[in-house]
Amino acid sequence: MAGKVFFSVSMSLDGFIAPESSEDLMGQQWMELQQWVFPLRFFRENLKLGGGGEEGRDNDIVRETFERTGASVMGKRMFDAGEKMWPEEAPFHTPVFVVTHEKRDPWERPGGTTFHFVNDGIETALDQAREAAGDRDVRIAGGGATILEYVNAGLVDEFSIALSPVLFGSGIRLFEGVDAGRVALEPVRAETSPRVTHLTYTVRGR
């Protein structure tokens, strides 16, 4: 049985998931947005940042998101930024399908991550990711424009937002340009922690 297609992101209270420029990734605003995840045990272990770290529900959610993911899809903008920032052992440990116009051979990294570059659209990338994931889920990793393409195409089953108590004022909005006339949401759960509120929704057509 095929798994679900989902995305999971951190979002500011005013609706932004990243700064406008990729040059500002790892800047103060982005660090504040992601601050909830840095101390977590699973995050530290996955990025080989050393032992220790916090446990609890936030840690469980990050681990569960990782464990359900059999393959990921991302856009070229996210890949370009990540190629500069990810450690040699990229943190996915699964196949990753990059939607791009660039023709490039697969890029294999230590630890089980191989980036595949798909030149003929989001549906082909998803088909390849589904095949690679087997009965596990496919995560649309980002960035915002790629997530929106999949939402507007009716290809997302579920998503989760870690709503962080910060304000951006400007940047990349998660749902900027969403086809709201075609997309309806059903709440699944809301969970609070000391740092963020986790919101999960299923997606269906209107």
Side-chain angles (χ1 to χ4, degrees):
M1 180 177 178
K4 294 179 179 178
V5 178
F6 79 103
F7 67 86
S8 178
V9 295
S10 297
M11 187 175 77
S12 69
L13 283 175
D14 51 348
F16 297 98
I17 61 171
E20 190 68 46
S21 171
S22 59
E23 299 300 318
D24 294 328
L25 286 172
M26 305 303 289
Q28 181 179 352
Q29 279 187 317
W30 189 89
M31 296 292 283
E32 289 178 357
L33 179 68
Q34 304 292 348
Q35 190 63 40
W36 69 277
V37 79
F38 296 139
L40 302 180
R41 176 183 289 273
F42 184 84
F43 178 84
R44 292 181 57 79
E45 289 175 349
N46 194 34
L47 268 72
K48 302 293 191 290
L49 299 177
E54 298 178 6
E55 299 190 14
R57 187 59 186 141
D58 284 342
N59 189 66
D60 292 344
I61 287 171
V62 172
R63 186 186 68 252
E64 289 162 5
T65 300
F66 177 85
E67 290 176 346
R68 70 183 284 194
T69 302
S72 294
V73 176
M74 68 178 59
K76 183 63 162 50
R77 182 179 187 270
M78 180 177 179
F79 173 79
D80 286 345
E83 188 176 15
K84 301 172 186 176
M85 296 186 299
W86 292 318
E88 183 181 11
E89 187 172 318
F92 301 95
H93 308 291
T94 64
V96 178
F97 297 86
V98 181
V99 181
T100 177
H101 297 295
E102 177 186 4
K103 294 188 181 299
R104 179 170 170 177
D105 292 333
W107 187 41
E108 185 174 351
R109 309 303 295 148
T113 302
T114 300
F115 295 94
H116 302 269
F117 301 89
V118 182
N119 306 128
D120 48 355
I122 63 170
E123 294 195 18
T124 299
L126 181 58
D127 288 343
Q128 293 181 21
R130 283 188 189 275
E131 184 175 355
D135 58 0
R136 295 166 71 192
D137 296 338
V138 173
R139 180 179 185 181
I140 310 302
T146 301
I147 288 172
L148 190 67
E149 282 190 83
Y150 279 98
V151 170
N152 282 343
L155 297 172
V156 172
D157 301 310
E158 181 181 292
F159 67 87
S160 295
I161 292 171
L163 192 61
S164 189
V166 298
L167 299 172
F168 265 36
S170 64
I172 295 175
R173 286 190 184 274
L174 177 57
F175 293 115
E176 187 74 47
V178 70
D179 187 352
R182 294 182 57 195
V183 178
L185 306 178
E186 295 181 1
V188 175
R189 61 183 171 271
E191 301 178 74
T192 59
S193 78
R195 293 192 179 94
V196 291
T197 300
H198 299 279
L199 304 172
T200 302
Y201 299 88
T202 56
V203 184
R204 58 177 177 80
R206 289 188 181 278

